[in-house]
Amino acid sequence: MLVVILLLAVIFIVLATSKWKLHPFIALLIAAYGIAISVGMGYNDIASTMTKGFGGILAYIGIVIVLGTIIGVILEKSGAAIKMANVILKIVGKKRPVLAMSVIGYIVSIPVFCDSGFVILNALKRSMVKQLKVSGVAMSVALATGLFATHTLVPPTPGPIAAAGNLMVDNLGLVIIFGIFISIITMLAGYFWALRSGKIYKSGEDTLVDLEKDCEVIEKYGELPSAFKSFAPIFIPILLMAVASIIKLVFKDMNETSIYKLFIFLGNPTNALFIGLLFATMLLPKFDEERLSGWIGEGIKNAGEILIITGAGGALGAVLKASGIGSYLGDVLQTLSLGILVPFIIAAALKSAQGSSTTALVVTSTIIYPLLANLGLDSELGKVLTVMAIGAGAMTVSHANDSFFWVVSRFSQMDVATAYKAYTTATLLQGLVTIAIVYLLAGILL
């Protein structure tokens, strides 16, 4: 009955969010109440268990999500994302425009949401299609898959942060290190598929590109910020967290020294992202109400929805842990020897059914947390690889129930059939390649 209760709860979440269009926050709370009542949890314990789960996860990663989202908005509105794209284009070279577009998407999506990133960079992509006489489909798929690679795997993107929080990962820097290297392979899988797609499929961009209009869109930012100012808000926090993680592993015997404590302080995710925000303020063209209140306020509003979904996921996770469903289901799954494939399968099912990668990351990590010990994934490295496996599932696959699918198809002037063949297939390939890498790493490291 415990397994049946959990399956019914998952089916309800999928139907409620995809078919009935209920907000994930309410769907997760209803599921949590339903499970708690069904397993006979004491009525006095239900509310306290849920509120502790909700508050616990937000205490762990709430500020990090807000800071990361604010940085993303500033990068978007200041023109820093366009500047980063121009720098990468110069490095990679115009002779490899499809690869350049993959790398541009890969970097920009670390702090900026997929949808926003594609919209921001679409004019640059279209102008490159026109000037360099390259396939519009290839460029669009390369940009979309580059964005998707880091969106589901690399903090400070909110989805991976939320998953790490739900799994109680102590070392977020390790998630960043593994996420960066694994997502490079994910990006390359999308890049090679983009090259192939460009030879087979056509879109409206291949014939109907208005170069003057695209130039106007790019020029609206005015004078773009410097390369250092543009990259610093992303890479300095990532560097600080990565260095702290390495120091924890290599120099743990020096944990009483001042230099050790300083690096650990700077590499704390909250502190590192706040430092990133300070660097992001250098991108503000003016210190006026519009920027200091408007831009930052928009970032806080964007973070709000992610926070409440993450908190509701924490409430559901607390109920699952208290109900005993997790340990029982873990025993059952242990006999199947699926290990790291379990979080991938659950996340892929949720992603394909309801469309949102962030929701798939939050819900799957909530379900998986009580199963970690039984699946042999309760070590720190096991938790990190579990985040990667969930991220792989959360990109498998993007289709018509995903808002990003429509952003890609509409802005790229691809009809739905072409978008399925070129873009949706690319996300399937990315997910399978990613879980293959994670599975291999789990076999070696765990």
Side-chain angles (χ1 to χ4, degrees):
M1 280 304 297
L2 289 175
V3 175
V4 171
I5 290 169
L6 178 61
L7 287 176
L8 289 175
V10 173
I11 291 170
F12 167 77
I13 292 169
V14 171
L15 289 176
T17 55
S18 61
K19 188 174 182 179
W20 304 329
K21 307 303 179 186
L22 186 64
H23 194 281
F25 173 71
I26 302 299
L28 288 169
L29 287 186
I30 293 174
Y33 273 112
I35 291 172
I37 294 171
S38 299
V39 300
M41 186 180 292
Y43 293 129
N44 293 330
D45 298 328
I46 294 175
S48 61
T49 300
M50 290 175 61
T51 52
K52 285 178 182 177
F54 186 98
I57 188 63
L58 293 187
Y60 181 70
I61 45 97
I63 295 176
V64 173
I65 289 176
V66 175
L67 292 174
T69 309
I70 293 172
I71 291 171
V73 170
I74 294 175
L75 289 172
E76 173 187 339
K77 290 186 173 296
S78 65
I82 296 293
K83 180 63 178 183
M84 287 190 288
N86 289 335
V87 171
I88 295 163
L89 188 58
K90 288 180 181 178
I91 295 172
V92 178
K94 291 187 177 181
K95 292 182 179 179
R96 293 178 290 274
V98 180
L99 178 59
M101 197 53 61
S102 291
V103 176
I104 287 167
Y106 176 91
I107 292 177
V108 169
S109 193
I110 293 175
V112 178
F113 287 106
C114 276
D115 305 57
S116 299
F118 198 94
V119 173
I120 295 165
L121 297 168
N122 188 61
L124 177 66
K125 178 204 72 180
R126 284 164 59 93
S127 65
M128 289 172 64
V129 169
K130 183 71 173 179
Q131 292 180 54
L132 304 178
K133 308 297 183 185
V134 64
S135 165
V137 171
M139 294 289 278
S140 297
V141 173
L143 176 58
T145 53
L147 289 162
F148 216 33
T150 46
H151 178 72
T152 58
L153 294 171
V154 182
T157 309
I161 289 180
N166 284 334
L167 296 174
M168 297 299 168
V169 177
D170 293 325
N171 195 335
L172 191 62
L174 269 184
V175 179
I176 291 173
I177 293 169
F178 274 83
I180 286 174
F181 286 107
I182 292 173
S183 60
I184 288 174
I185 300 172
T186 306
M187 177 200 73
L188 290 174
Y191 162 68
F192 286 118
W193 180 259
L195 289 177
R196 184 179 185 278
S197 299
K199 296 176 181 178
I200 302 173
Y201 308 114
K202 298 290 182 183
S203 70
E205 284 187 332
D206 292 311
T207 55
L208 301 173
V209 178
D210 186 347
L211 186 58
E212 291 185 4
K213 183 177 179 181
D214 295 329
C215 290
E216 289 176 7
V217 172
I218 297 171
E219 289 170 359
K220 75 175 183 179
Y221 293 103
E223 184 179 352
L224 296 176
S226 68
F228 174 78
K229 288 182 179 180
S230 300
F231 282 98
I234 305 175
F235 286 106
I236 287 178
I238 288 177
L239 182 63
L240 289 172
M241 286 186 275
V243 168
S245 299
I246 294 170
I247 286 176
K248 279 183 181 178
L249 293 173
V250 180
F251 300 104
K252 56 185 176 182
D253 295 335
M254 300 171 58
N255 58 2
E256 294 301 321
T257 63
S258 298
I259 190 71
Y260 179 94
K261 292 178 180 178
L262 175 63
F263 276 111
I264 298 305
F265 170 79
L266 295 175
N268 177 283
T270 301
N271 299 335
L273 265 294
F274 185 73
I275 292 169
L277 177 61
L278 295 179
F279 276 98
T281 59
M282 296 191 303
L283 294 168
L284 300 178
K286 292 181 181 179
F287 286 89
D288 55 11
E289 184 178 356
E290 180 186 351
R291 278 80 176 182
L292 292 174
S293 181
W295 290 11
I296 293 175
E298 184 176 331
I300 293 171
K301 289 177 184 177
N302 292 345
E305 183 174 7
I306 299 165
L307 288 173
I308 64 168
I309 293 173
T310 301
L316 176 60
V319 169
L320 286 173
K321 187 176 181 180
S323 68
I325 288 178
S327 57
Y328 178 77
L329 186 60
D331 291 335
V332 173
L333 291 172
Q334 192 175 26
T335 62
L336 300 177
S337 300
L338 292 174
I340 199 72
L341 295 178
V342 173
F344 169 77
I345 293 169
I346 295 173
L350 283 167
K351 167 63 179 177
S352 299
Q354 53 80 41
S356 169
S357 294
T358 301
T359 300
L361 280 155
V362 171
V363 175
T364 304
S365 55
T366 296
I367 294 171
I368 287 296
Y369 177 64
L371 315 182
L372 288 173
N374 301 78
L375 295 174
L377 301 171
D378 55 338
S379 65
E380 187 68 6
L381 204 52
K383 292 177 182 179
V384 171
L385 290 176
T386 302
V387 175
M388 298 296 105
I390 295 171
M395 66 176 71
T396 315
V397 295
S398 176
H399 62 99
N401 62 2
D402 181 3
S403 62
F404 190 46
F405 172 88
W406 295 108
V407 169
V408 173
S409 61
R410 291 293 179 262
F411 277 83
S412 302
Q413 298 183 22
M414 279 191 271
D415 58 60
V416 174
T418 301
Y420 265 100
K421 293 172 185 176
Y423 167 66
T424 300
T425 305
T427 63
L428 173 62
L429 179 64
Q430 283 189 297
L432 295 176
V433 168
T434 303
I435 190 57
I437 298 301
V438 174
Y439 185 81
L440 180 63
L441 288 173
I444 297 171
L445 299 174
L446 298 182

